[in-house]
Amino acid sequence: MMKKFDNILIGTLLLFAVSCVNDDDFGIPNISSEDPMIPTEKLTTFKAVKSLYEQAVNGGNTTVKIEDDIYIEGYVVSSDKAGNFFEELIIQNKIDDSNPDNDPRLGFKIDINQSSLSDTYQFGQKVYVKLQGLTIGETSGVVTIGKGEAVNVEQIQPAEYKEIVLRTNEIVDIKPKVSGLADLTEADENTLIQLNNMQLNRFELGASFASESFDEFDGLRLLESCDSGIQIIMQTSTFSDFKSLIVPQGKGQVTGVFSRDFRDNFNVLVINSSVDVNFDNNQRCDPLEFSCGVGSTIGFQNLLYEDFESQRNNRPVEIDGWTNYIEAGTEAWEGYSSTSSNASLGRSCRFQSASSGDASNIGWLITPAIDLDAQDGETLRFKTSNSLADSSYMEVFYADDWDGTEAGVTAATWRFLTDAYVVKDSDSFAEWFSSGNVDLSCLSGTIHIAFKYTGSGQSTFDGVYELDEISVDYMP
């Protein structure tokens, strides 16, 4: 009798064990259900919804509440499975751009007070959003759908989000928009973007995605295009499960959601997981670099000094011996003064491409010739500031083979001065930053030093850089 009971017990345990391991092999839970039936006349477009929001903004409001019983149809392009998105869904209206129509590719963020949303809404899943009673506004610089009655967008609550964001059984292969950084606009925010021929900035090689000592809430890693040199920040949450991985150090493609940082100061790319960074080409595109190090002392004698006090506001810089060269666009380095929160140092020099209307702005401000054989111990100092760099950037180079003509600027061999600090997007916009005491003493011959701005007239790349108190000193 006992033996028979043992056999029954063992059989029961085996049956229980088999029932615990199903065909899904611990995969994504089955969340299929009947597709929602939305009448065609109740469907509207992303374009129409965004136009309602823009009309509200133009009328002096910050949000608009949808009263009509209408829906939008979209596809999920974010996933919180790896922890890099939190309490939000990003949806866009197009699978790809192979069949363009009158409704451009657009996206929205949906603010939901619920974690693990990927358990319900998979990447690529088609959803319908019931807009009646919802509020359209802006959070962290991007258009957001949520709740709210007044000036702010509030989160959709756990008890209601499944009745608002209606999932279907359709899961599609989302093809990201392949774009150059210079071609991205505000219309691309909240959509999936693929950037080709990209790499991590050379000064950040060896960094993890988001586990460095200075990473508080997000890791901000500077990516740059090998085609245009334009840069963008890759933003990774310190709560992501790949935060401690080292960012790949080659070049290649990266795919993520185009967005803005938390304070709406600059563009960011937010990836769904580390596999979205495919930098498998070891042939990087770094510029030629030069470094003598940082000088321990500042020379007693001055070889070159410029503080731009003689320049006219909002007019191109014109100084004997200096070259103010426009490589692309219509803007040049100009004089400026300001007493606002981002005050100038008396009168300063700046480059701004805002409202230029140019697809590209590249400007060079080049010093007169500097003879390094006539004295010893030369060093370079200057100060920089910016007004929301917006992914535009400034670099400092030297060349010993430039012929002094504008036609010869791009033909010369310009080497990047790696020891010179230039203000970053993450720096306080109201402060001026010293370059440090850049040692030039290991060079010889005659050189020129160039300050180069790269940006465009588009709002995502139209930042302002200020420059002042350029000084080359030496030891007598």
Side-chain angles (χ1 to χ4, degrees), residues 20 49 53 66 91 135 171 173 236 243 251 274 297 304 309-310 349 352-353 389 422 427-428 438 449 453:
C20 289
V49 173
Y53 167 64
I66 306 298
I91 65 169
T135 296
I171 299 175
D173 180 22
T236 305
K243 66 178 182 180
K251 69 176 181 180
S274 60
T297 60
L304 179 147
E309 293 299 324
S310 64
C349 170
Q352 63 173 352
S353 54
V422 175
D427 290 327
S428 170
V438 182
I449 296 171
Y453 171 97

Side-chain angles (χ1 to χ4, degrees), residues 290-357:
F290 164 81
S291 173
C292 284
V294 177
S296 57
T297 60
I298 298 173
F300 292 54
Q301 298 293 324
N302 182 254
L303 190 61
L304 179 147
Y305 183 79
E306 184 55 60
D307 61 6
F308 304 102
E309 293 299 324
S310 64
Q311 299 304 294
R312 295 179 295 172
N313 285 345
N314 306 315
R315 299 292 183 88
V317 168
E318 295 181 353
I319 307 173
D320 288 345
W322 288 70
T323 300
N324 190 358
Y325 171 58
I326 300 173
E327 179 183 338
T330 58
E331 300 298 319
W333 286 93
E334 63 183 14
Y336 104 105
S337 63
S338 173
T339 57
S340 68
S341 58
N342 188 26
S344 57
L345 301 177
R347 184 168 280 110
S348 301
C349 170
R350 72 176 177 185
F351 199 111
Q352 63 173 352
S353 54
S355 303
S356 69

Side-chain angles (χ1 to χ4, degrees), residues 150-445:
V151 296
N152 297 318
V153 179
E154 301 171 2
Q155 289 187 308
I156 298 170
Q157 295 305 306
E160 58 184 344
Y161 75 91
K162 289 184 181 179
E163 301 302 318
I164 292 173
V165 183
L166 310 175
R167 66 175 183 238
T168 73
N169 293 312
E170 183 178 351
I171 299 175
V172 301
D173 180 22
I174 301 290
K175 292 181 174 59
K177 175 181 177 178
V178 179
S179 178
L181 277 172
D183 299 321
L184 295 176
T185 70
E186 289 182 2
D188 294 300
E189 292 171 357
N190 290 327
T191 68
L192 196 67
I193 300 299
Q194 177 179 310
L195 304 172
N196 293 332
N197 208 18
M198 299 289 293
Q199 66 179 22
L200 181 69
N201 181 271
R202 60 195 177 281
F203 297 123
E204 300 189 359
L205 291 176
S208 63
F209 279 90
S211 65
E212 305 305 317
S213 60
F214 49 80
D215 295 327
E216 296 186 43
F217 302 103
D218 294 294
L220 304 177
R221 303 294 177 258
L222 187 62
L223 305 182
E224 58 194 10
S225 168
C226 289
D227 296 323
S228 65
I230 295 176
Q231 301 170 326
I232 190 172
I233 297 291
M234 178 175 63
Q235 177 178 290
T236 305
S237 170
T238 54
F239 294 97
S240 67
D241 63 11
F242 58 92
K243 66 178 182 180
S244 298
L245 297 180
I246 302 301
V247 180
Q249 300 181 41
K251 69 176 181 180
Q253 69 181 41
V254 56
T255 301
V257 174
F258 184 54
S259 189
R260 299 284 289 176
D261 75 295
F262 179 75
R263 293 180 176 84
D264 189 23
N265 287 336
F266 48 84
N267 301 322
V268 296
L269 191 73
V270 186
I271 61 176
N272 282 296
S273 73
S274 60
V275 300
D276 292 329
V277 181
N278 185 21
F279 294 169
D280 56 354
N281 186 338
N282 293 326
Q283 301 298 314
R284 291 176 53 86
C285 60
D286 297 324
L288 295 173
E289 296 184 3
F290 164 81
S291 173
C292 284
V294 177
S296 57
T297 60
I298 298 173
F300 292 54
Q301 298 293 324
N302 182 254
L303 190 61
L304 179 147
Y305 183 79
E306 184 55 60
D307 61 6
F308 304 102
E309 293 299 324
S310 64
Q311 299 304 294
R312 295 179 295 172
N313 285 345
N314 306 315
R315 299 292 183 88
V317 168
E318 295 181 353
I319 307 173
D320 288 345
W322 288 70
T323 300
N324 190 358
Y325 171 58
I326 300 173
E327 179 183 338
T330 58
E331 300 298 319
W333 286 93
E334 63 183 14
Y336 104 105
S337 63
S338 173
T339 57
S340 68
S341 58
N342 188 26
S344 57
L345 301 177
R347 184 168 280 110
S348 301
C349 170
R350 72 176 177 185
F351 199 111
Q352 63 173 352
S353 54
S355 303
S356 69
D358 298 324
S360 175
N361 290 102
I362 302 175
W364 299 70
L365 186 65
I366 308 175
T367 68
I370 302 171
D371 183 2
L372 298 178
D373 292 336
Q375 63 284 311
D376 297 316
E378 300 92 348
T379 58
L380 166 68
R381 293 175 296 144
F382 57 89
K383 292 181 180 178
T384 55
S385 180
N386 68 25
S387 300
L388 305 180
D390 282 340
S391 298
S392 60
Y393 60 98
M394 174 184 155
E395 300 168 293
V396 186
F397 300 91
Y398 91 91
D400 58 12
D401 63 347
W402 179 45
D403 62 8
T405 68
E406 290 190 352
V409 170
T410 56
T413 305
W414 295 98
R415 290 178 170 82
F416 188 84
L417 291 172
T418 60
D419 300 309
Y421 186 84
V422 175
V423 63
K424 297 180 179 179
D425 235 344
S426 55
D427 290 327
S428 170
F429 97 103
E431 296 182 26
W432 284 83
F433 292 83
S434 171
S435 63
N437 194 35
V438 182
D439 192 354
L440 303 175
S441 63
C442 65
L443 289 172
S444 61

Side-chain angles (χ1 to χ4, degrees), residues 9 105 255 267 452:
L9 178 61
R105 177 190 291 255
T255 301
N267 301 322
K452 181 183 178 184

